Amino acid sequence: MNKAETIERLLPEIGSPRASGEHFAPSNIALCKYWGKRDAELNLPVNASLSVSLATLGTRTRVEPIDAEQDQVYLNGLLQAPDSRFADRTRRFIDLLRVNQPQLAFRVDTHNNIPTAAGLASSASGFAALTRALVEAFGLSLSPTEQSVLARLGSGSACRSLFDGFVEWQMGQREDGLDSHGVALPASWPQLCVGLVKVDAGEKPVDSRSGMQRTVETAHLYQSWPLQASSDLARLHEAIDSLDFALLGSVAEQNALSMHATMIASWPPLLYWQPQSVAMMQKVWQLRREGLALYFTMDAGPNLKLLFEAASRDAVLAQFPGIEVVEPFAAGAA
Ligand code: PMV
């Protein structure tokens, strides 16, 4: 099954865009990671994952039909070259909705309010915001769940950015992926804080799509990953239900390190860490030995995301001055 066939099932009829559309979507950090696809075309995962959305940190995207030969794609106010990776991914995603109207062109304005200095990837919030904006522009009646399915076709983790708070991406069983989408958990954790520690904000040499593929194809260690992820997912639910921070932090950290272990065991090896990433991990472990309830998670890059509760905020900021701190559940956050 390909993307076009999935779109046909999701949206049997797509009319002409009626107007412009503009929406925001939050970025998200996975506590149990999505790593490996069972279907690379449709971004269907090998395992279910669970994330927390970063409230007001994310992407705002505006799309507007224009009378032009091709799309004009702007990122943070700058026109992107048509052959750039960003413009190409944006165009290919819009193509899904203009199958019968290939002459349609859009101006797309994407603004990330994630400080570049935070070193946080923005493809999840980017495809979620683009999905919402296009749904509005085409006047499509798609539920948030269906929009999550659509966003997943742009980038897997984007399906979790359609919702606030804790979100589980249910892997689903169907071949067309219509049951593989984000589901918001009815839980809140007002004390939870996420600290973004930048080690390097530059473009990574291997993107997550190729990184996952390489791991699945070459790392024997990957065989243990689905089991690890499903046990971590169950333990995260337990932690969230009982607001057990030590459990949440330790499961998230172990899950991230297990994912990185599978990457390191690939060939050619895939090590996203830099010496400073390791230094930061060791600093977290030292602080924990000294009694601070502090954990970290990491995605396919060198940066750390710290997990702690509001009571530890001052102590964490004293050790990691200048980091961006997000409170996903603070009043007015979501
Ligand atoms: O959605 P992608 O293709 O950018 O993959 C995201 C992969 C990780 O960030 C490493 C894990 C996750 O669940 O977000």
Side-chain angles (χ1 to χ4, degrees):
M1 174 127 340
N2 62 32
K3 285 183 183 171
E5 288 165 324
T6 305
I7 293 287
E8 234 175 85
R9 291 194 182 182
L10 196 60
L11 288 160
E13 267 177 54
I14 308 174
S16 298
R18 299 187 308 194
S20 61
E22 180 172 344
H23 277 278
F24 171 82
S27 189
N28 75 74
I29 300 291
L31 303 173
C32 176
K33 309 292 184 188
Y34 148 53
W35 196 247
K37 301 174 204 261
R38 65 176 194 276
D39 182 324
E41 158 86 8
L42 300 182
N43 292 335
L44 293 176
V46 165
N47 62 285
S49 55
L50 193 151
S51 62
V52 62
S53 287
L54 296 188
T56 54
L57 266 199
T59 305
R60 175 165 285 281
T61 298
R62 182 173 196 279
V63 297
E64 185 190 351
I66 51 169
D67 190 10
E69 298 244 308
Q70 56 177 355
D71 298 331
Q72 292 168 9
V73 180
Y74 290 78
L75 176 58
N76 294 333
L78 294 177
L79 180 63
Q80 303 296 296
D83 59 352
S84 65
R85 188 172 142 70
F86 185 83
D88 183 56
R89 287 188 82 187
T90 304
R91 187 173 46 244
R92 282 192 284 123
F93 188 72
I94 302 176
D95 284 348
L96 297 174
L97 297 181
R98 58 182 164 199
V99 262
N100 302 320
Q101 316 166 73
Q103 76 293 352
L104 267 180
F106 285 89
R107 177 186 164 120
V108 183
D109 273 287
T110 299
H111 285 274
N112 291 321
N113 69 3
I114 304 160
T116 335
L120 197 71
S122 44
S123 75
S125 54
F127 280 107
L130 182 58
T131 296
R132 283 181 167 160
L134 287 167
V135 164
E136 184 185 348
F138 279 91
L140 304 171
S141 56
L142 285 184
S143 67
T145 299
E146 291 166 328
Q147 294 187 35
S148 172
V149 169
L150 180 54
R152 194 198 71 236
L153 299 177
S155 160
S157 56
C159 77
R160 300 186 306 237
S161 275
L162 262 298
F163 307 95
D164 291 314
F166 291 118
V167 181
E168 179 173 338
W169 173 4
Q170 297 183 347
M171 59 183 283
Q173 306 293 335
R174 291 172 61 132
E175 205 197 331
D176 62 11
L178 294 190
D179 57 353
S180 184
H181 52 74
V183 174
L185 304 189
S188 174
W189 196 319
Q191 308 304 318
L192 189 68
C193 298
V194 180
L196 307 175
V197 179
K198 186 205 81 169
V199 168
D200 185 345
E203 189 142 338
K204 47 196 181 194
V206 181
D207 64 16
S208 22
R209 166 172 286 268
S210 349
M212 295 185 192
Q213 219 46 35
R214 187 190 297 181
T215 310
V216 172
E217 284 164 13
T218 67
H220 289 299
L221 214 55
Y222 184 76
Q223 284 170 18
S224 66
W225 170 252
L227 215 62
Q228 170 89 40
S230 90
S231 130
D232 289 346
L233 187 70
R235 294 203 300 153
L236 283 172
H237 277 289
E238 197 185 316
I240 291 168
D241 290 346
S242 56
L243 298 183
D244 181 340
F245 180 69
L247 183 60
L248 182 100
S250 54
V251 172
E253 188 173 304
Q254 192 182 11
N255 182 272
L257 290 170
S258 304
M259 173 184 74
H260 281 272
T262 68
M263 301 180 195
I264 297 168
S266 327
W267 198 261
L270 199 52
L271 181 67
Y272 285 102
W273 304 345
Q274 292 179 10
Q276 214 203 332
S277 317
V278 178
M280 292 295 159
M281 292 181 212
Q282 284 170 334
K283 185 166 175 170
V284 168
W285 294 328
Q286 178 58 31
L287 290 167
R288 209 152 68 217
R289 278 194 291 273
E290 291 166 12
L292 190 60
L294 175 65
Y295 298 83
F296 67 83
T297 180
M298 293 178 80
D299 292 303
N303 306 306
L304 273 72
K305 286 97 187 186
L306 302 179
L307 301 168
F308 53 97
E309 288 191 292
S312 312
R313 189 188 177 114
D314 291 347
V316 171
L317 279 170
Q319 294 293 334
F320 298 88
I323 61 166
E324 177 86 18
V325 176
V326 184
E327 294 184 48
F329 299 93

